[in-house]
Amino acid sequence: MLRGLATISFFADDVEAAGDWYAGLLGARPYFRVPGPDGRAVYLEFRVGDHQHELGLIDARFRPGAAGPSGTVGAGEPGGAVAYWHVDDLEGAVARLVAMGARVHEEITERGEGTGFATASVVDPFGNVLGVMTNPHYLRMLTAGIAEVRSPSAAGDSRH
């Protein structure tokens, strides 16, 4: 069911500062940016490594289960990074996970109208957050070969 790592999301109180830090670490600027109402980024995304996995930086206000303005999660609540695994059938995957004893952490959410990107997450019976998503970039990488998807613009990525 899990085909490969698609995206890992980290949460930050200051997405712009986190983006600068990761740009320094990775030697590249994010290729995708979503501004908030004030113009500052609420989401940045990098492509990382040999398989161009996605690293997303999300404003901590949007962390699933966030308890307060700083994005902190209450004691005993799941939180932190969410690794998203590509699945071919998002609704079916979530239904199977719930049938196996997981509980929904974040409902299925479309990430950009008409882009084909959608995510959901569950908490497994052991308290871990497991993310699943449909990700056209992941499928293009498999079918076109990694060299053709290194550049989001060359791959026709609609999220840049």
Side-chain angles (χ1 to χ4, degrees), residues 5 8 30 58 133 141 150:
L5 183 66
I8 187 162
I58 304 172
M133 77 182 298
M141 182 188 69
R150 286 211 181 266

Side-chain angles (χ1 to χ4, degrees), residues 48-72:
V48 180
D50 295 333
H51 295 284
Q52 299 290 289
H53 295 301
E54 296 168 353
L55 169 61
L57 303 175
I58 304 172
D59 188 302
R61 294 174 295 172
F62 303 113
R63 179 190 328 251
S70 67
T72 58

Side-chain angles (χ1 to χ4, degrees), residues 14 18 44 81 98 123 151 158:
D14 185 339
L44 296 173
V98 169
V123 177
S151 167
S158 60

Side-chain angles (χ1 to χ4, degrees):
M1 181 174 99
L2 302 180
R3 296 201 48 194
L5 183 66
T7 301
I8 187 162
S9 296
F10 292 160
F11 297 91
D13 287 328
D14 185 339
V15 174
E16 298 279 358
D20 289 342
W21 191 89
Y22 275 96
L25 174 70
L26 301 170
R29 300 295 309 163
Y31 79 92
F32 181 67
R33 180 181 194 279
V34 175
D38 63 358
R40 293 182 51 80
V42 295
Y43 182 77
L44 296 173
E45 189 169 277
F46 296 86
R47 294 254 169 93
V48 180
D50 295 333
H51 295 284
Q52 299 290 289
H53 295 301
E54 296 168 353
L55 169 61
L57 303 175
I58 304 172
D59 188 302
R61 294 174 295 172
F62 303 113
R63 179 190 328 251
S70 67
T72 58
V73 177
E77 290 296 316
V82 178
Y84 289 93
W85 294 87
H86 176 81
V87 296
D88 292 328
D89 174 7
L90 187 57
E91 289 181 14
V94 172
R96 179 175 177 207
L97 290 162
V98 169
M100 293 175 65
R103 67 177 167 84
V104 172
H105 187 248
E106 178 184 29
E107 297 287 340
I108 293 173
T109 305
E110 187 176 336
R111 302 297 182 180
E113 188 175 329
T115 65
F117 292 89
T119 64
S121 61
V122 298
V123 177
D124 71 16
F126 315 100
N128 300 296
V129 178
L130 172 64
V132 289
M133 77 182 298
T134 54
N135 183 318
H137 166 71
Y138 183 86
L139 294 175
R140 281 194 306 271
M141 182 188 69
L142 290 179
T143 58
I146 191 66
E148 295 179 28
V149 295
R150 286 211 181 266
S151 167
S153 59
D157 195 317
S158 60
R159 297 192 311 160
H160 63 81

